[in-house]
Amino acid sequence: MLITYFDLSQQGTTITTSRIRPHQGATGDAVSRAEILGLLGQAGPLSRGEIARRLGLGPATVTAQVRRLMNDGYVRELPAGARTGAGRPRVPVELIADSATVIGMSVTPTSVMLVSMRIDGTVADSRAAAFNPSADPLGQLTAMVVAEQAAMEHPERVVAVGISVSGAVDQALSTVRISATLNWRDFSLGAQLQQAVGLPVFVANDLFALTTREVSFGLGRNKDDFLLLGLDYGVGLGIVNRRRVFSGSDGSSTEFGHMSVDPGGPLCVCGNHGCLQVYAGLNEVLDAAPAAAGRLSLAPLGAGRLSLAGLLRAADDGDPAVVDFVAGVGQRLGRSVGGAVNLLGTATIIVTGQTTALWEHLDGGFRRGLDETVLKFLHPVDVTVKAWTESEDAVGAAGLALHNAISLNVPPRAGG
Ligand SMILES: [Zn+2]
């Protein structure tokens, strides 16, 4: 069986196609300098020995990667601590938090959320702008990057730009193969924007970007294998196997929502019937809730779609029909994710996306669905729900840019 990895830990952005690799754990060539930076950003200065212990890496690997990070100007040594016992004094390594900045943008059909993020993962600025994907999108995005840099005290410290979009993206080329929501097809956004702004630009599927960020800078930092379930307008599943984010041959591996779960179900936008998406996508949930709950009064007459806040309110109020409906959505999700857990042998799940606002009401059904499907020896399944914010996808894009810039050894720019 052939399997394709987008290997973020290697020099150069390459798509490699190979047979399934032997287990390498979190060591060997799978190690990423971004993981070391992520750890230092969260935990503060640490000795090389402590970095090795916390990341489960060999001392020689850590020594080599820290040397490269020092050469690039991302970290520095602090004065050695007092000598304790017979061992050599420990020299703490510190992240230079403002040595580099990345810009992350999440692009939607109506707006772009932009953040600038320091190397320690701190978001320094966050703003939203109106966007029209069919009217010179390159010009609009270029203007946003230029304006953001112009507002910075140290624009020369920006090392990369990350962009997340919904759809299938060829990440090696940073080309959007197809995005139904943006109506883009074979748009070489990365190459064109890179030329326009003079910075490395990395474009990825939104859930892939979030998953990559999670590996290095988030909750997944200490996990070799996990699944990131994205519950938003789309339903996606990011797959991390031995700290590599699985991409699929055309960047479509996150399209978990288009797994058909009911052959007699409604038609999905993808052309198939009964996809998980038509039951658990945010808009689909909001559209189906009033009728499914037998409470057409939930839908504001003539005011368009029920809001997520409105649905949450009805569930919080304990309306039994609404509570049942939402639990049913959770159960469908749980059953589908249970299949992925069995398929991959990965029983660690992180849940993200704006639909997680409903999690309190989804949770019972979700766990029931897992119980009904997951092989007994894979229990218990570890489920963690991430707090979601409006800038989450943009921060994911910034995390991807930071991860790639550091893994691909893009040095801080001179003049800072
Ligand atoms: Zn579908």
Side-chain angles (χ1 to χ4, degrees):
M1 175 179 162
L2 287 174
I3 198 160
T4 306
Y5 283 101
F6 175 62
D7 190 344
L8 297 162
S9 65
Q10 301 293 303
Q11 277 273 352
T13 312
T14 52
I15 293 251
T16 53
T17 304
S18 65
R19 298 202 170 270
I20 293 174
R21 297 166 189 211
H23 184 202
Q24 294 171 328
T27 59
D29 69 354
V31 65
S32 159
R33 285 176 290 285
E35 290 174 52
I36 296 176
L37 286 187
L39 174 63
L40 294 175
Q42 287 182 9
L46 295 171
S47 69
R48 290 171 177 77
E50 187 65 13
I51 293 169
R53 192 183 68 74
R54 293 211 196 179
L55 292 177
L57 302 172
T61 304
V62 171
T63 299
Q65 302 295 14
V66 166
R67 187 182 305 125
R68 287 179 68 172
L69 288 168
M70 284 177 64
N71 289 342
D72 289 343
Y74 291 132
V75 303
R76 64 184 160 219
E77 289 182 335
L78 293 175
R83 192 188 174 100
T84 52
R88 276 190 295 174
R90 291 165 185 271
V91 179
V93 176
E94 178 187 54
L95 191 68
I96 306 172
D98 61 354
S99 58
T101 301
V102 287
I103 291 174
M105 295 194 279
S106 68
V107 180
T108 79
T110 54
S111 66
V112 169
M113 178 64 79
L114 180 151
V115 299
S116 62
M117 193 170 90
R118 297 194 316 178
I119 198 171
D120 63 349
T122 311
V123 173
D125 187 29
S126 161
R127 63 182 76 192
F131 181 70
N132 180 350
S134 49
D136 184 21
L138 180 68
Q140 294 176 73
L141 294 172
T142 302
M144 288 176 205
V145 172
V146 169
E148 180 67 14
Q149 273 195 291
M152 287 178 182
E153 192 180 344
H154 292 289
E156 74 285 355
R157 292 185 189 170
V158 178
V159 291
V161 176
I163 297 179
S164 78
V165 301
S166 79
V169 179
D170 182 333
Q171 281 143 179
L173 298 173
S174 279
T175 290
V176 180
R177 282 209 188 284
I178 184 158
S179 173
T181 56
L182 299 169
N183 199 20
W184 289 349
R185 184 179 270 277
D186 294 322
F187 177 21
S188 57
L189 173 60
Q192 293 184 51
L193 187 60
Q194 182 157 327
Q195 190 148 42
V197 301
L199 290 165
V201 177
F202 303 98
V203 184
N205 166 275
D206 44 14
L207 195 66
F208 185 93
L210 282 174
T211 308
T212 302
R213 166 174 172 259
E214 215 54 48
V215 169
S216 291
F217 306 106
L219 294 172
R221 197 166 48 71
N222 299 318
K223 306 180 199 303
D224 278 0
D225 307 305
F226 67 90
L227 307 175
L228 184 73
L229 176 62
L231 300 180
D232 221 291
Y233 294 109
V235 176
L237 193 72
I239 300 167
V240 176
N241 181 240
R242 284 153 200 165
R243 304 201 65 71
R244 288 193 177 97
V245 184
F246 181 76
S247 139
S249 57
D250 58 359
S252 61
S253 67
T254 58
E255 299 293 333
F256 181 63
H258 296 285
M259 181 166 69
S260 180
V261 294
D262 179 3
L267 182 68
C268 177
V269 286
C270 73
N272 294 334
H273 283 265
C275 292
L276 181 60
Q277 174 71 34
V278 302
Y279 299 103
L282 179 54
N283 282 342
E284 288 82 350
V285 167
L286 296 175
D287 285 345
R295 290 289 304 279
L296 293 167
S297 58
L298 273 178
L301 271 182
R305 180 174 276 148
L306 174 67
S307 70
L308 178 56
L311 180 58
L312 178 60
R313 211 160 34 239
D316 282 347
D317 286 348
D319 182 323
V322 174
V323 168
D324 270 4
F325 166 73
V326 177
V329 172
Q331 187 178 8
R332 271 200 200 273
L333 282 166
R335 289 184 62 87
S336 300
V337 172
V341 168
N342 290 345
L343 177 71
L344 299 161
T346 299
T348 302
I349 298 158
I350 300 172
V351 192
T352 186
Q354 60 177 315
T355 313
T356 55
L358 289 170
W359 189 257
E360 191 188 327
H361 305 287
L362 289 165
D363 184 60
F366 185 76
R367 289 182 199 267
R368 197 160 57 245
L370 288 175
D371 282 345
E372 289 165 359
T373 49
V374 171
L375 288 164
K376 298 305 167 223
F377 69 85
L378 288 169
H379 280 288
V381 180
D382 173 9
V383 180
T384 308
V385 180
K386 276 201 71 169
W388 187 85
T389 65
E390 213 178 23
S391 57
E392 195 71 11
D393 282 342
V395 172
L400 175 99
L402 185 53
H403 185 120
N404 286 9
I406 292 162
S407 296
L408 307 181
N409 217 27
V410 177
R413 289 153 73 82

